[in-house]
Amino acid sequence: MNRGRGDNRDMYQGGSGQGTSRGGGGGSSGERGRGTGFGNYRGGNRGGGSTDGDRSERGRGGGFRGYGGDRSGGRGGGRGGRGGGRPTGQVVTDRPFNVPGKVMPDAIRGRNAQLGWVSMEACDNEKNPLPPRSKGPGKESLKVISLTTNNLELKKLNLPEPIYQYDVDIDLSDSDKVRKRRIEVGRGMTRGGRRGCGRGGIQSSDVRIKDPPNPKLWKRIVTSVLTKLIMADNDDRHFGTDYMKAIYTTYPLCQKTVDEGYNISLSEVEDETGSSAVYHCRITLVSKIHTAGELQTCVNNLGEWFLLGNKEMPEDLVNLDRILNIAVKTTLAQRYTPVGRVSFFPEPPNGNKGFDLGGGLVNWAGVSTIVTMGWKPYLNIDTANTAFIKEQCVYTAMKELFQADRLLNSKVDPADGSSFTKSAMEKALKFLKGCQISYKICAKKVQTGRVTDILTLPARMHKFVSETGETNVEAYFRHYHHITLKYPNGICLKLGGKSIVPAEVCKIKKGQPMNGKLTEFQTTQMITVTAVPPENRIGQIRTNITLINTASDPVLQQFGVTVENKLHETEARVLAPPTLVYGAADNPRAQKSLVPPPNGVWNMFEKNELHFVKPASALVAFKEKGGLVKWGIMAIRKRVVDKESIFNFIKKLWDIAKSVGLNLDHPNNVMENYEEVRDRNELVGALNRLSNCGCEMALCVLPYKDQEWYPYIKFASEVTMGERPILTQCIVGKTIDRCQEAVVQNVLFKINIKLGGFNYLMDGSPWERINILNTPVLIIGADVTHPGADSKYPSLVAVTASVDRTGVPFHMTIQAQRKADKGAAEVINGLDEIIRDFILAFINKTGFKPRKIIIFRDGVGDGQFGEVLNTEMLAIRRGCTLAGDIPNFWSMAKQDILLGEVESPKVGYQPKITFVAVQKRHKVRFFCNNPSRDGVGTGLNAPPGTIVDVDIVKAYSTDYYLLSHMGIQGTSKPTRYQILWDDSEFSSDDLQTLSYFLCFMYCRCTRSVSYPAPTYYAHLGATRAKDYTLTLSDDVLSNIQEINLSIQRSEVFKRTFPMHYV
């Protein structure tokens, strides 16, 4: 039998724990006690696990470890032996009652709880801004499985010696310099090319162009120069280039080319503006990269290089990473349409336009490639899909665009310009602006141009002065081009700087990726075509390997790169899930432990034996006698469903709530608190009336799911209501009509947690395995979301923190800051004050100062690690110092004082900080080599808990891939965790297990999610901040300070309903 975990750990003092044994060899468990001492001790036994199947489950201990207490008493004998296979279903066992909200972790005296920061001088390194790898692979596992990854190993590289690096610069030629307009090139492109080169070409170098030529024109100029000069002179040799700023060759370029440069007219590169400007392109030698010796040895054996104790990266390893990526992508960028920095799209075969997404868009399937420096160099290959604008007539595209819009459908006709409302015109311009258009007039050649505007007047009414006097577009085309417009009242397009062309003669050119956000319907269509099971996904990847054909790539051959044609296989460990704690349905003073099944999905309603571990009725601040949660109904605009359907829905909600211990007011009483709202201005009044009736929550029935009502409801209830807080739970009308039990259950999860309850908790005993939460720790999640480049909205920050031991209520703070494309950094501004406030909240809630701070930071790319580490890490430390400088800080932690642990203010407050970047934007995928044995779900994905921390991870810093969820459809994507900093020097097992366990603490569902709950909550917080900003006027949106004043919630609301944003 597996080792059992203890039955009970009393909340506060409890009796002494004289340890006996850990169970005999037969597997039965014995007592495990800890010594007596002040406060909470480890009491109780490690009970035997329940047996189900060939192998018994681990029985988990009750409650959480408490702060304080010396440890005396021995551990007793050895643990019992392990049995056979693990059960496949969830296992529920009884456990004694314990109030989770009042149980605290141990504050252990000793090295693990000592304060103190590690110097960051080691990270002041341009070659590698992160601390070197200090952790070996983890060892914890439930089992080991074999995986195939979508990586191809780069075989022993035979790098040429040396490699020449050239820089490209473009300026107006001498004849055009009278315009005094200099093309300024600099570093600093943000993700997506917001500051610079955008999506034209491969962007491993960062470029910012403040004046013409624009980035796409820059690429065409560079391509023309390279084709005419380099390829002509060296037709048997090849080069690597990003077509923007960098050229890498294995030979010196012709000195004449370097000295003189090259003049090129815009007419040679098919510029649509009609400009006659001539540009001068200069190519300058920057450096020679010597690959012989140390660099050659290192790059072929990266893992061994660092495991042998080499802490420093070779000087040119970072440059070599860039060179290899450019070499791989040079040929692909010539053959296919590049999108972003890593994806390339061939035209759909057989004249096919692509999978129709609706609204004038189609999906193109392509390939993504990127070279990564793992323990060896690897070429990662994956499928890529993106929306392209469909090749068709502009009129047809406009019809499809408006047909996909529920509000504008049948109201707007591109053949009738007068039918265009302001919103319709904005939608059409957003779709067409920047789009390349072709048109042909009579026998003239096909002309092209880019849409810069849509005229508000139709062709018949838009007048201008021509050579013969004033005329209109319709008459001009009839007189000069002998074209009689079929739709003289139709819209006209402005192309480039001056051309005005009727839309009916225009056609959208092929191969133009769409830059905007997809609609909900288009997203659904995209998922339909792209969410394929692992078996299909790996087949597509193998097809892409054939497509890119690295064996015949002349650039790779020139640089001595040979790519393995077989996908890399590796071993992965599968971590055991945590044990979860629920209330017992048959005894309100008891609890039950639940061990999730291997697929990470469980059902608390399966046998009607589980309650919420802490129903909200026992915690809410404003409640009726008897603990009933009083609530009402607010129907929006009109009765999208009748009252009978609403009653049936809330009756089912009430029935299910009762079955899990949540005491909601009876539906008959709820229907008496019924408000109907027809205008957004009526929202606050309706919420006030419900609040005056004693309602804590309003169930809001929306006509449909969109941004017309939802943001205003949330802003009214969470911001405007101020000191009289009332929660809202929004439901779409069709959901009420369907009244599906599973949906009602999910709604109930959100209601309970919003009202202050706990759906379930994590059993305390698993933390003994990882040695992290045995001391007061503040766990934080942080995210920054950025709007589109043309958006008037700011960047939004959300930071969440769990300020008590349960790990359930995450307090959230939000703020707006300048967009990154307006000169602001990607980092969080004012993080020091946010951290200070969370530290003080933790002390007020627990009576202890945090000894450790662990932050999971979302939204950070590889190129931003150094900036985030050196900015946000220092801000976190400043926040700790700000807290420690408060006059009464050292006396606030009452429990610390009782333990006799009062630090001297002279030492300063320095909790150990661990900073982890959480990444979902990567291309690594896992495929089980034995899916019938190891796979889970209908698609047979790798199981939750699958972790890879060897081979494909970085050799020179600490990172790992963790697949923590079972995908609903398609191929599950693991999350990458990069350790940016770790004062505590946690082991790999500690951090990996903590990351996995936190994926089970997302309260909105009964399944493990794809990344830790703190970052999930931060993402929800940023989304809620976005909802608030959607309600603000343009005047407010023009001032960041005004925005932040407008979106702040009252302290009463945040204190009463800390989890309102879920």
Side-chain angles (χ1 to χ4, degrees), residues 814-1014:
I814 54 176
Q815 68 180 30
Q817 61 188 41
R818 287 186 304 153
K819 291 192 296 185
D821 60 341
K822 296 291 184 180
E826 296 278 351
V827 298
I828 298 174
N829 298 329
L831 185 59
D832 49 356
E833 296 180 356
I834 295 173
I835 296 298
R836 176 201 59 194
D837 294 343
F838 281 144
I839 290 171
L840 299 179
F842 186 93
I843 295 173
N844 291 332
K845 184 78 172 179
T846 67
F848 293 90
K849 297 182 296 295
R851 265 61 164 189
K852 300 179 187 295
I853 296 177
I854 303 175
I855 181 168
F856 291 90
R857 173 69 155 89
D858 195 8
V860 182
D862 283 24
Q864 300 162 345
F865 284 161
E867 180 185 20
V868 168
L869 176 61
N870 288 303
T871 304
E872 294 186 5
M873 182 68 182
L874 294 177
I876 296 171
R877 290 187 171 184
R878 283 198 306 272
C880 298
T881 302
L882 288 175
D885 288 343
I886 294 175
N888 63 339
F889 176 78
W890 300 96
S891 61
M892 291 172 63
K894 305 299 183 184
Q895 295 297 322
D896 281 340
I897 294 173
L898 291 174
L899 289 173
E901 296 186 0
V902 181
E903 286 82 4
S904 168
K906 294 181 180 179
V907 176
Y909 176 56
Q910 295 186 357
K912 295 183 177 181
I913 301 168
T914 301
F915 200 119
V916 184
V918 181
Q919 290 184 314
K920 290 290 286 182
R921 294 186 177 183
H922 62 80
K923 290 290 188 176
V924 173
R925 298 293 185 275
F926 297 155
F927 306 93
C928 291
N929 289 337
N930 191 339
S932 60
R933 181 191 66 193
D934 300 325
V936 298
T938 56
L940 298 180
N941 277 288
T946 298
I947 193 160
V948 174
D949 58 357
V950 295
D951 291 353
I952 61 174
V953 298
K954 299 292 185 184
Y956 46 82
S957 61
T958 305
D959 65 330
Y960 52 91
Y961 291 93
L962 170 62
L963 180 63
S964 55
H965 70 294
M966 183 183 74
I968 297 175
Q969 56 182 330
T971 303
S972 298
K973 177 193 285 190
T975 297
R976 180 178 176 237
Y977 297 80
Q978 174 72 56
I979 311 302
L980 301 186
W981 192 259
D982 183 20
D983 282 325
S984 295
E985 299 181 354
F986 290 127
S987 70
S988 293
D989 286 325
D990 286 348
L991 288 173
Q992 292 167 8
T993 305
L994 174 66
S995 303
Y996 184 44
F997 281 10
L998 288 175
C999 294
F1000 283 81
M1001 297 306 294
Y1002 186 60
C1003 64
R1004 288 171 51 157
C1005 57
T1006 53
R1007 61 191 305 133
S1008 58
V1009 292
S1010 57
Y1011 50 100

Side-chain angles (χ1 to χ4, degrees), residues 92-93 95 580-585 590-594 602-604 609-614 749 758-761 1005-1006:
V92 178
T93 56
R95 51 168 288 149
L580 308 178
V581 178
Y582 278 93
Q591 294 178 346
K592 287 183 178 290
S593 296
L594 181 148
W602 66 98
N603 183 4
M604 73 167 292
E609 58 181 338
L610 300 178
H611 270 187
F612 288 146
V613 71
K614 193 65 176 177
F749 294 150
F758 301 162
N759 297 348
Y760 60 89
L761 293 171
C1005 57
T1006 53

